[in-house]
Protein backbone atom coordinates (compact mmCIF):
# COMPACT_ATOMS: atom_id res chain seq x y z
CA UNK A 1 0.00 0.00 0.00
CA UNK A 2 1.58 3.25 -1.18
CA UNK A 3 0.37 6.38 0.58
CA UNK A 4 0.09 9.93 -0.77
CA UNK A 5 2.26 12.98 -0.27
CA UNK A 6 3.12 14.82 -3.50
CA UNK A 7 6.84 14.98 -4.21
CA UNK A 8 7.48 12.94 -1.07
CA UNK A 9 6.42 9.94 -3.16
CA UNK A 10 10.03 9.64 -4.37
CA UNK A 11 10.75 8.01 -0.99
CA UNK A 12 8.70 5.00 -2.08
CA UNK A 13 10.99 4.56 -5.09
CA UNK A 14 13.96 4.03 -2.77
CA UNK A 15 12.08 1.37 -0.84
CA UNK A 16 11.23 -0.43 -4.08
CA UNK A 17 14.85 -0.28 -5.23
CA UNK A 18 16.03 -1.97 -2.03
CA UNK A 19 13.37 -4.68 -2.25
CA UNK A 20 14.21 -5.45 -5.87
CA UNK A 21 17.98 -5.05 -5.80
CA UNK A 22 19.36 -5.58 -2.30
CA UNK A 23 16.92 -7.57 -0.16
CA UNK A 24 18.78 -10.77 0.85
CA UNK A 25 17.82 -14.01 -0.86
CA UNK A 26 15.64 -16.02 -0.69
CA UNK A 27 13.38 -13.24 0.65
CA UNK A 28 13.88 -11.20 -2.54
CA UNK A 29 12.43 -14.00 -4.64
CA UNK A 30 9.43 -14.14 -2.30
CA UNK A 31 8.87 -10.37 -2.36
CA UNK A 32 5.93 -10.69 -4.71
CA UNK A 33 2.96 -8.34 -4.43
CA UNK A 34 -0.40 -9.93 -5.20
CA UNK A 35 -2.24 -6.66 -4.64
CA UNK A 36 -1.11 -3.08 -5.23
CA UNK A 37 -3.10 -0.23 -3.68
CA UNK A 38 -2.26 3.44 -4.01
CA UNK A 39 -3.61 6.83 -3.07
CA UNK A 40 -2.54 10.24 -4.42
CA UNK A 41 1.09 10.04 -5.59
CA UNK A 42 1.11 6.48 -4.29
CA UNK A 43 -1.44 5.68 -7.01
CA UNK A 44 1.06 6.80 -9.64
CA UNK A 45 3.83 4.63 -8.19
CA UNK A 46 1.47 1.67 -7.72
CA UNK A 47 0.34 1.92 -11.35
CA UNK A 48 3.93 1.79 -12.55
CA UNK A 49 4.62 -1.27 -10.40
CA UNK A 50 1.52 -2.95 -11.84
CA UNK A 51 2.61 -2.15 -15.40
CA UNK A 52 6.10 -3.59 -14.78
CA UNK A 53 5.15 -6.54 -12.55
CA UNK A 54 6.48 -8.93 -15.20
CA UNK A 55 10.04 -7.59 -14.73
CA UNK A 56 10.39 -6.93 -10.99
CA UNK A 57 14.18 -6.76 -11.03
CA UNK A 58 14.00 -3.56 -13.13
CA UNK A 59 11.12 -1.81 -11.36
CA UNK A 60 13.13 0.40 -9.02
CA UNK A 61 15.60 1.59 -11.65
CA UNK A 62 12.91 2.30 -14.23
CA UNK A 63 10.67 4.13 -11.77
CA UNK A 64 13.57 6.28 -10.60
CA UNK A 65 14.33 7.26 -14.19
CA UNK A 66 10.74 8.52 -14.52
CA UNK A 67 11.05 10.60 -11.36
CA UNK A 68 14.38 12.03 -12.54
CA UNK A 69 12.60 13.58 -15.52
CA UNK A 70 10.92 16.05 -13.15
CA UNK A 71 12.35 19.56 -12.88
CA UNK A 72 10.92 22.33 -10.74
CA UNK A 73 11.28 24.95 -13.48
CA UNK A 74 8.96 22.92 -15.72
CA UNK A 75 6.20 22.58 -13.14
CA UNK A 76 6.48 26.21 -12.03
CA UNK A 77 6.63 27.69 -15.54
CA UNK A 78 3.66 30.03 -15.90
CA UNK A 79 3.45 32.91 -18.33
CA UNK A 80 1.83 36.18 -17.35
CA UNK A 81 -1.22 35.31 -19.47
CA UNK A 82 -1.82 32.29 -17.27
CA UNK A 83 -1.32 34.33 -14.11
CA UNK A 84 -3.96 36.77 -15.35
CA UNK A 85 -6.42 33.91 -15.91
CA UNK A 86 -6.02 32.54 -12.41
CA UNK A 87 -8.46 34.97 -10.72
CA UNK A 88 -11.27 33.89 -13.07
CA UNK A 89 -10.54 30.26 -12.24
CA UNK A 90 -10.37 30.91 -8.48
CA UNK A 91 -13.72 32.70 -8.63
CA UNK A 92 -15.35 29.90 -10.63
CA UNK A 93 -14.38 30.22 -14.28
CA UNK A 94 -16.39 28.41 -16.90
CA UNK A 95 -15.49 24.83 -17.69
CA UNK A 96 -14.17 23.95 -21.11
CA UNK A 97 -15.78 21.07 -23.04
CA UNK A 98 -14.29 17.78 -21.94
CA UNK A 99 -13.19 18.72 -18.43
CA UNK A 100 -11.28 21.24 -16.35
CA UNK A 101 -9.59 24.24 -17.97
CA UNK A 102 -5.84 23.67 -18.51
CA UNK A 103 -4.99 26.48 -16.08
CA UNK A 104 -7.14 25.06 -13.25
CA UNK A 105 -4.23 24.69 -10.88
CA UNK A 106 -1.37 26.72 -9.47
CA UNK A 107 1.24 24.37 -10.96
CA UNK A 108 1.86 23.54 -14.58
CA UNK A 109 0.76 19.90 -14.60
CA UNK A 110 1.73 19.34 -18.24
CA UNK A 111 5.20 17.83 -17.64
CA UNK A 112 3.96 15.50 -14.90
CA UNK A 113 0.96 14.41 -16.99
CA UNK A 114 3.24 13.76 -19.95
CA UNK A 115 5.55 11.51 -17.93
CA UNK A 116 2.67 9.49 -16.49
CA UNK A 117 0.92 9.06 -19.84
CA UNK A 118 3.96 8.46 -22.05
CA UNK A 119 6.56 6.77 -19.81
CA UNK A 120 4.31 4.14 -18.21
CA UNK A 121 3.52 0.95 -20.20
CA UNK A 122 -0.19 1.09 -19.36
CA UNK A 123 -1.36 -1.87 -21.53
CA UNK A 124 0.89 -4.13 -19.45
CA UNK A 125 -1.36 -3.73 -16.40
CA UNK A 126 -4.06 -5.86 -17.98
CA UNK A 127 -1.51 -8.33 -19.36
CA UNK A 128 0.14 -8.76 -15.97
CA UNK A 129 -3.17 -9.29 -14.19
CA UNK A 130 -4.35 -11.81 -16.76
CA UNK A 131 -1.02 -13.68 -16.65
CA UNK A 132 -1.00 -13.91 -12.84
CA UNK A 133 1.98 -11.62 -12.28
CA UNK A 134 -0.49 -9.52 -10.25
CA UNK A 135 -3.93 -10.20 -8.78
CA UNK A 136 -5.35 -6.70 -8.44
CA UNK A 137 -4.64 -2.97 -8.61
CA UNK A 138 -6.71 -0.42 -6.67
CA UNK A 139 -6.48 3.38 -6.87
CA UNK A 140 -8.54 5.84 -4.80
CA UNK A 141 -9.87 9.20 -6.00
CA UNK A 142 -12.35 11.73 -4.65
CA UNK A 143 -15.48 12.58 -6.63
CA UNK A 144 -15.70 16.37 -6.43
CA UNK A 145 -19.47 16.67 -6.80
CA UNK A 146 -20.43 14.18 -4.08
CA UNK A 147 -17.29 14.07 -1.93
CA UNK A 148 -17.31 10.25 -2.08
CA UNK A 149 -14.16 8.17 -2.35
CA UNK A 150 -14.20 6.04 -5.47
CA UNK A 151 -11.88 3.02 -5.42
CA UNK A 152 -11.09 2.03 -9.00
CA UNK A 153 -10.05 -1.62 -8.97
CA UNK A 154 -8.91 -3.96 -11.72
CA UNK A 155 -8.95 -7.73 -11.18
CA UNK A 156 -8.59 -10.77 -13.42
CA UNK A 157 -12.30 -11.57 -13.32
CA UNK A 158 -13.44 -7.99 -13.78
CA UNK A 159 -15.30 -8.27 -10.47
CA UNK A 160 -14.46 -6.89 -7.05
CA UNK A 161 -15.13 -8.02 -3.47
CA UNK A 162 -18.11 -6.87 -1.48
CA UNK A 163 -17.38 -3.38 -0.16
CA UNK A 164 -18.42 -2.14 3.26
CA UNK A 165 -21.85 -0.55 3.34
CA UNK A 166 -20.42 2.95 3.73
CA UNK A 167 -22.16 5.68 1.69
CA UNK A 168 -18.93 7.68 1.61
CA UNK A 169 -17.08 5.03 -0.45
CA UNK A 170 -17.76 3.12 -3.64
CA UNK A 171 -15.84 0.29 -5.29
CA UNK A 172 -15.70 0.51 -9.10
CA UNK A 173 -14.46 -2.41 -11.21
CA UNK A 174 -12.71 -0.99 -14.27
CA UNK A 175 -9.71 -1.20 -16.56
CA UNK A 176 -7.23 1.24 -15.03
CA UNK A 177 -5.48 3.80 -17.21
CA UNK A 178 -3.47 7.01 -16.75
CA UNK A 179 -6.58 9.08 -16.01
CA UNK A 180 -7.24 7.09 -12.83
CA UNK A 181 -3.71 7.62 -11.49
CA UNK A 182 -3.72 11.31 -12.42
CA UNK A 183 -7.12 11.81 -10.79
CA UNK A 184 -5.91 10.22 -7.58
CA UNK A 185 -2.84 12.49 -7.54
CA UNK A 186 -4.66 15.76 -8.39
CA UNK A 187 -4.11 17.81 -5.22
CA UNK A 188 -6.81 20.53 -5.23
CA UNK A 189 -5.67 24.05 -6.18
CA UNK A 190 -2.24 22.73 -7.17
CA UNK A 191 -3.23 20.41 -10.04
CA UNK A 192 -6.37 20.41 -12.22
CA UNK A 193 -9.08 17.82 -11.56
CA UNK A 194 -9.43 14.90 -13.98
CA UNK A 195 -12.62 13.82 -15.73
CA UNK A 196 -13.58 10.14 -15.74
CA UNK A 197 -16.92 9.03 -17.19
CA UNK A 198 -18.45 12.47 -16.86
CA UNK A 199 -17.31 13.05 -13.24
CA UNK A 200 -14.51 15.26 -12.02
CA UNK A 201 -12.07 13.70 -9.57
CA UNK A 202 -9.28 15.02 -7.39
CA UNK A 203 -6.80 13.67 -4.84
CA UNK A 204 -7.85 10.36 -3.34
CA UNK A 205 -6.47 11.25 0.09
CA UNK A 206 -9.05 13.95 0.83
CA UNK A 207 -11.85 11.63 1.97
CA UNK A 208 -10.11 8.27 2.13
CA UNK A 209 -10.76 7.66 5.80
CA UNK A 210 -9.50 4.09 5.49
CA UNK A 211 -6.48 3.97 3.11
CA UNK A 212 -5.82 0.31 3.88
CA UNK A 213 -9.40 -0.71 3.15
CA UNK A 214 -9.04 -1.34 -0.63
CA UNK A 215 -6.14 -3.77 -0.12
CA UNK A 216 -7.97 -5.63 2.63
CA UNK A 217 -11.18 -5.79 0.62
CA UNK A 218 -9.24 -7.35 -2.26
CA UNK A 219 -8.03 -10.12 0.03
CA UNK A 220 -4.72 -8.91 1.48
CA UNK A 221 -3.57 -10.88 4.52
CA UNK A 222 -0.23 -9.09 4.87
CA UNK A 223 0.36 -5.49 3.87
CA UNK A 224 3.62 -3.65 3.36
CA UNK A 225 2.71 0.01 3.90
CA UNK A 226 5.05 2.77 2.72
CA UNK A 227 3.97 5.92 4.54
CA UNK A 228 5.32 9.38 3.74
CA UNK A 229 4.75 10.85 7.17
CA UNK A 230 7.75 11.62 9.36
CA UNK A 231 7.33 10.70 13.02
CA UNK A 232 10.01 12.32 15.21
CA UNK A 233 11.93 10.12 17.65
CA UNK A 234 11.26 10.62 21.37
CA UNK A 235 14.30 12.89 21.82
CA UNK A 236 12.86 15.30 19.23
CA UNK A 237 9.22 15.06 20.26
CA UNK A 238 9.44 17.91 22.77
CA UNK A 239 10.80 20.23 20.06
CA UNK A 240 7.89 19.37 17.76
CA UNK A 241 5.34 19.89 20.51
CA UNK A 242 6.54 23.35 21.48
CA UNK A 243 5.22 26.18 19.38
CA UNK A 244 7.95 28.39 17.96
CA UNK A 245 5.74 30.82 16.05
CA UNK A 246 6.15 34.47 16.97
CA UNK A 247 3.31 35.72 14.75
CA UNK A 248 0.03 34.48 13.36
CA UNK A 249 0.70 31.84 10.66
CA UNK A 250 0.13 32.79 7.06
CA UNK A 251 -1.64 30.94 4.24
CA UNK A 252 1.45 28.99 3.15
CA UNK A 253 2.06 27.61 6.63
CA UNK A 254 -1.61 26.74 7.10
CA UNK A 255 -1.82 25.03 3.70
CA UNK A 256 1.12 22.80 4.63
CA UNK A 257 -0.65 21.69 7.81
CA UNK A 258 -3.89 21.05 5.90
CA UNK A 259 -2.00 18.81 3.47
CA UNK A 260 -0.41 16.96 6.39
CA UNK A 261 -3.82 16.26 7.84
CA UNK A 262 -5.48 15.27 4.57
CA UNK A 263 -2.73 13.18 3.00
CA UNK A 264 -0.77 11.74 5.91
CA UNK A 265 -2.72 11.53 9.15
CA UNK A 266 -5.54 9.30 7.82
CA UNK A 267 -3.17 6.39 7.24
CA UNK A 268 -1.88 6.38 10.81
CA UNK A 269 -5.45 6.43 12.10
CA UNK A 270 -6.30 3.49 9.85
CA UNK A 271 -3.26 1.52 11.05
CA UNK A 272 -4.33 2.11 14.65
CA UNK A 273 -7.85 0.89 13.88
CA UNK A 274 -6.46 -2.25 12.24
CA UNK A 275 -4.32 -2.95 15.31
CA UNK A 276 -7.40 -2.60 17.54
CA UNK A 277 -9.39 -5.01 15.35
CA UNK A 278 -6.57 -7.57 15.33
CA UNK A 279 -6.36 -7.37 19.13
CA UNK A 280 -10.12 -7.82 19.55
CA UNK A 281 -10.13 -10.89 17.30
CA UNK A 282 -7.10 -12.45 19.03
CA UNK A 283 -8.33 -11.83 22.57
CA UNK A 284 -11.89 -12.89 21.70
CA UNK A 285 -10.80 -16.21 20.22
CA UNK A 286 -8.43 -16.89 23.13
CA UNK A 287 -11.14 -16.14 25.69
CA UNK A 288 -14.24 -17.62 24.05
CA UNK A 289 -12.94 -20.01 21.38
CA UNK A 290 -13.77 -20.17 17.64
CA UNK A 291 -17.46 -19.54 18.37
CA UNK A 292 -16.58 -15.91 19.18
CA UNK A 293 -15.23 -15.28 15.71
CA UNK A 294 -18.22 -16.91 14.02
CA UNK A 295 -20.79 -14.89 15.95
CA UNK A 296 -18.85 -11.64 15.56
CA UNK A 297 -18.57 -12.18 11.81
CA UNK A 298 -22.32 -12.66 11.52
CA UNK A 299 -23.11 -9.50 13.48
CA UNK A 300 -20.50 -7.33 11.76
CA UNK A 301 -21.41 -8.51 8.26
CA UNK A 302 -25.01 -7.40 8.84
CA UNK A 303 -23.89 -3.99 10.06
CA UNK A 304 -21.12 -3.11 7.56
CA UNK A 305 -21.57 -5.54 4.68
CA UNK A 306 -18.39 -7.59 5.22
CA UNK A 307 -16.81 -9.27 8.26
CA UNK A 308 -13.54 -8.25 9.89
CA UNK A 309 -10.31 -10.06 9.07
CA UNK A 310 -6.93 -10.04 10.73
CA UNK A 311 -4.06 -8.62 8.70
CA UNK A 312 -0.36 -8.33 9.41
CA UNK A 313 1.27 -5.01 8.49
CA UNK A 314 4.81 -3.72 8.21
CA UNK A 315 5.10 0.06 7.96
CA UNK A 316 8.08 1.90 6.49
CA UNK A 317 8.28 5.67 6.86
CA UNK A 318 10.97 8.38 6.49
CA UNK A 319 13.60 8.51 9.23
CA UNK A 320 14.34 12.14 8.32
CA UNK A 321 11.89 15.00 7.99
CA UNK A 322 11.14 15.60 4.27
CA UNK A 323 10.29 19.20 5.17
CA UNK A 324 13.84 19.85 6.37
CA UNK A 325 15.28 18.28 3.23
CA UNK A 326 12.95 20.27 0.98
CA UNK A 327 13.78 23.59 2.67
CA UNK A 328 17.48 23.00 2.10
CA UNK A 329 17.06 22.06 -1.56
CA UNK A 330 14.60 24.86 -2.27
CA UNK A 331 17.27 27.47 -1.59
CA UNK A 332 19.18 26.15 -4.61
CA UNK A 333 16.23 26.19 -7.03
CA UNK A 334 15.99 29.03 -9.54
CA UNK A 335 12.41 29.85 -10.46
CA UNK A 336 10.60 32.59 -12.36
CA UNK A 337 10.00 35.85 -10.52
CA UNK A 338 6.48 35.32 -9.02
CA UNK A 339 7.28 31.82 -7.80
CA UNK A 340 10.68 32.93 -6.50
CA UNK A 341 9.02 35.48 -4.24
CA UNK A 342 6.47 32.93 -2.98
CA UNK A 343 9.26 30.43 -2.35
CA UNK A 344 11.19 32.96 -0.27
CA UNK A 345 8.01 33.69 1.68
CA UNK A 346 7.47 29.99 2.29
CA UNK A 347 11.01 29.49 3.55
CA UNK A 348 10.71 32.51 5.83
CA UNK A 349 7.52 31.22 7.42
CA UNK A 350 8.86 27.68 7.59
CA UNK A 351 12.06 28.56 9.46
CA UNK A 352 11.23 28.89 13.18
CA UNK A 353 13.49 30.43 15.77
CA UNK A 354 14.78 27.02 16.91
CA UNK A 355 16.55 26.77 13.52
CA UNK A 356 14.55 23.74 12.48
CA UNK A 357 13.64 24.64 8.88
CA UNK A 358 10.35 22.81 8.46
CA UNK A 359 9.29 23.31 4.86
CA UNK A 360 6.25 21.06 4.95
CA UNK A 361 4.52 22.62 1.95
CA UNK A 362 7.75 22.59 -0.04
CA UNK A 363 8.17 18.88 0.65
CA UNK A 364 4.95 18.24 -1.30
CA UNK A 365 5.71 20.58 -4.19
CA UNK A 366 9.44 20.33 -4.87
CA UNK A 367 9.31 18.01 -7.88
CA UNK A 368 13.00 18.51 -8.64
CA UNK A 369 15.67 15.89 -9.33
CA UNK A 370 18.15 16.74 -6.50
CA UNK A 371 15.42 16.64 -3.82
CA UNK A 372 13.80 13.61 -5.43
CA UNK A 373 17.07 11.66 -5.44
CA UNK A 374 17.80 12.44 -1.80
CA UNK A 375 14.38 11.07 -0.88
CA UNK A 376 15.06 7.96 -2.98
CA UNK A 377 18.35 7.44 -1.16
CA UNK A 378 16.57 7.89 2.16
CA UNK A 379 13.92 5.30 1.24
CA UNK A 380 16.64 2.83 0.23
CA UNK A 381 18.60 3.42 3.47
CA UNK A 382 15.52 3.12 5.68
CA UNK A 383 14.54 -0.16 4.03
CA UNK A 384 18.10 -1.45 4.41
CA UNK A 385 18.05 -0.57 8.12
CA UNK A 386 15.01 -2.85 8.52
CA UNK A 387 16.21 -5.62 6.24
CA UNK A 388 15.66 -8.41 8.79
CA UNK A 389 12.07 -7.31 9.38
CA UNK A 390 11.49 -7.36 5.63
CA UNK A 391 13.07 -10.80 5.33
CA UNK A 392 10.74 -12.11 8.04
CA UNK A 393 7.75 -10.36 6.46
CA UNK A 394 8.33 -11.99 3.07
CA UNK A 395 8.82 -15.49 4.45
CA UNK A 396 6.85 -17.99 2.34
CA UNK A 397 4.64 -19.14 5.23
CA UNK A 398 1.14 -17.73 4.70
CA UNK A 399 -1.93 -17.85 6.93
CA UNK A 400 -4.85 -19.87 5.64
CA UNK A 401 -7.26 -17.73 3.64
CA UNK A 402 -10.66 -17.88 5.25
CA UNK A 403 -12.74 -15.74 2.91
CA UNK A 404 -12.82 -15.64 -0.89
CA UNK A 405 -11.01 -12.63 -2.36
CA UNK A 406 -13.59 -12.08 -5.11
CA UNK A 407 -17.38 -12.32 -5.00
CA UNK A 408 -19.39 -12.96 -8.15
CA UNK A 409 -21.61 -9.89 -7.82
CA UNK A 410 -19.73 -6.70 -8.76
CA UNK A 411 -20.20 -3.50 -6.79
CA UNK A 412 -21.16 -0.48 -8.87
CA UNK A 413 -21.60 3.16 -8.03
CA UNK A 414 -25.05 4.60 -7.64
Amino acid sequence: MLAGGGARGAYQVGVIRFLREALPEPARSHAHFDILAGCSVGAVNASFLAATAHRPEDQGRLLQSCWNQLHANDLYRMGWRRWLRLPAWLLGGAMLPGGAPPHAGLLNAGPLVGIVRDSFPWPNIDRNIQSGALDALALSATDISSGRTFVFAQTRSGKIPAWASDPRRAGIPTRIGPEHALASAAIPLLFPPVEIDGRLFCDGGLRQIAPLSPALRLGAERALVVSLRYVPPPEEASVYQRSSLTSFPGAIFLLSKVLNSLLLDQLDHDLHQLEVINTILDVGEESYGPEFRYRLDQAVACARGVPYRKAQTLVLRPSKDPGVLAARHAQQVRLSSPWRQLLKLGLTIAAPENERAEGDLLSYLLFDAPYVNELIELGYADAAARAQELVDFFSPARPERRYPSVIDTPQVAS
Side-chain angles (χ1 to χ4, degrees):
M1 190 276 160
L2 301 179
R8 295 185 183 204
Y11 177 86
Q12 296 168 345
V13 182
V15 173
I16 295 299
R17 289 212 68 162
F18 177 81
L19 293 177
R20 296 314 190 202
E21 301 169 13
L23 186 67
E25 290 288 6
R28 194 189 318 171
S29 300
H30 295 144
H32 171 78
F33 298 106
D34 301 307
I35 299 165
L36 291 166
C39 182
S40 191
V41 72
V44 175
N45 288 336
S47 297
F48 186 89
L49 295 182
T52 56
H54 60 296
R55 47 188 303 192
E57 67 281 357
D58 297 325
Q59 284 182 317
R61 174 180 56 83
L62 294 174
L63 185 55
Q64 182 171 356
S65 68
C66 292
W67 275 83
N68 279 333
Q69 297 178 49
L70 297 171
H71 300 283
N73 275 311
D74 294 332
L75 271 75
Y76 289 86
R77 182 180 293 122
M78 290 178 62
W80 286 107
R81 181 178 300 177
R82 187 170 178 184
W83 280 103
L84 292 174
R85 286 196 304 232
L86 280 178
W89 163 66
L90 291 171
L91 295 174
M95 299 294 291
L96 296 179
H103 57 278
L106 294 176
L107 300 185
N108 176 22
L112 183 59
V113 171
I115 292 172
V116 171
R117 289 189 178 277
D118 301 334
S119 299
F120 288 25
W122 290 98
N124 285 345
I125 293 179
D126 185 64
R127 297 191 189 109
N128 287 333
I129 290 177
Q130 295 304 322
S131 69
L134 178 73
D135 287 348
L137 171 65
L139 311 180
S140 302
T142 303
D143 176 33
I144 293 178
S145 63
S146 67
R148 300 173 72 193
T149 296
F150 279 35
V151 180
F152 299 101
Q154 184 171 350
T155 63
R156 189 174 301 114
S157 67
K159 304 177 178 68
I160 62 173
W163 233 251
S165 53
D166 187 340
R168 296 168 294 180
R169 286 177 282 170
I172 310 296
T174 189
R175 182 166 179 161
I176 290 178
E179 66 277 6
H180 300 98
L182 291 170
S184 182
I187 301 176
L189 298 181
L190 302 180
F191 296 110
V194 176
E195 181 184 356
I196 301 175
D197 296 332
R199 295 174 181 262
L200 283 179
F201 290 89
C202 64
D203 197 291
L206 298 185
R207 293 291 302 274
Q208 179 63 294
I209 60 174
L212 279 174
S213 175
L216 299 178
R217 293 286 179 269
L218 289 167
E221 297 154 344
R222 290 186 287 181
L224 177 64
V225 181
V226 187
S227 171
L228 301 177
R229 183 182 183 218
Y230 172 69
V231 177
E235 59 270 19
E236 293 184 23
S238 60
V239 176
Y240 277 72
Q241 292 169 357
R242 290 198 305 266
S243 174
S244 57
L245 296 175
T246 57
S247 60
F248 191 81
I252 293 178
F253 182 89
L254 293 175
L255 179 57
S256 70
K257 301 309 174 186
V258 169
L259 288 177
N260 279 348
S261 176
L262 293 177
L263 301 183
L264 304 181
D265 293 348
Q266 301 283 15
L267 177 59
D268 283 341
H269 176 267
D270 203 22
L271 288 168
H272 174 71
Q273 291 294 101
L274 179 60
E275 183 179 352
V276 170
I277 292 171
N278 285 342
T279 301
I280 291 173
L281 295 178
D282 287 337
V283 173
E285 288 184 319
E286 290 175 4
S287 302
Y288 302 103
E291 182 72 10
F292 169 83
R293 183 69 181 276
Y294 173 74
R295 292 187 177 277
L296 180 64
D297 285 351
Q298 285 187 316
V300 170
C302 292
R304 66 190 294 266
V306 291
Y308 287 129
R309 285 192 299 111
K310 289 189 291 186
Q312 176 190 354
T313 60
L314 176 60
V315 183
L316 299 178
R317 62 174 80 245
S319 61
K320 296 180 181 179
D321 190 342
V324 174
L325 304 182
R328 186 176 71 247
H329 281 282
Q331 299 182 37
Q332 310 301 322
V333 177
R334 297 291 180 263
L335 302 176
S336 59
S337 180
W339 282 114
R340 185 166 60 249
Q341 298 305 319
L342 287 174
L343 183 61
K344 288 181 179 179
L345 177 61
L347 288 172
T348 300
I349 294 176
E353 294 176 347
N354 63 14
E355 298 182 352
R356 180 180 166 275
E358 182 193 15
D360 277 346
L361 182 59
L362 299 174
S363 72
Y364 294 102
L365 307 183
L366 197 59
F367 291 91
D368 202 46
Y371 171 62
V372 159
N373 283 317
E374 183 165 2
L375 283 179
I376 293 174
E377 293 173 3
L378 179 62
Y380 188 99
D382 287 349
R386 301 181 64 182
Q388 187 56 53
E389 291 180 74
L390 289 166
V391 168
D392 296 340
F393 182 81
F394 285 113
S395 64
R398 292 177 178 271
E400 180 181 355
R401 178 172 290 183
R402 181 173 178 180
Y403 302 103
S405 60
V406 176
I407 293 178
D408 290 336
T409 304
Q411 176 98 4
V412 296
S414 58

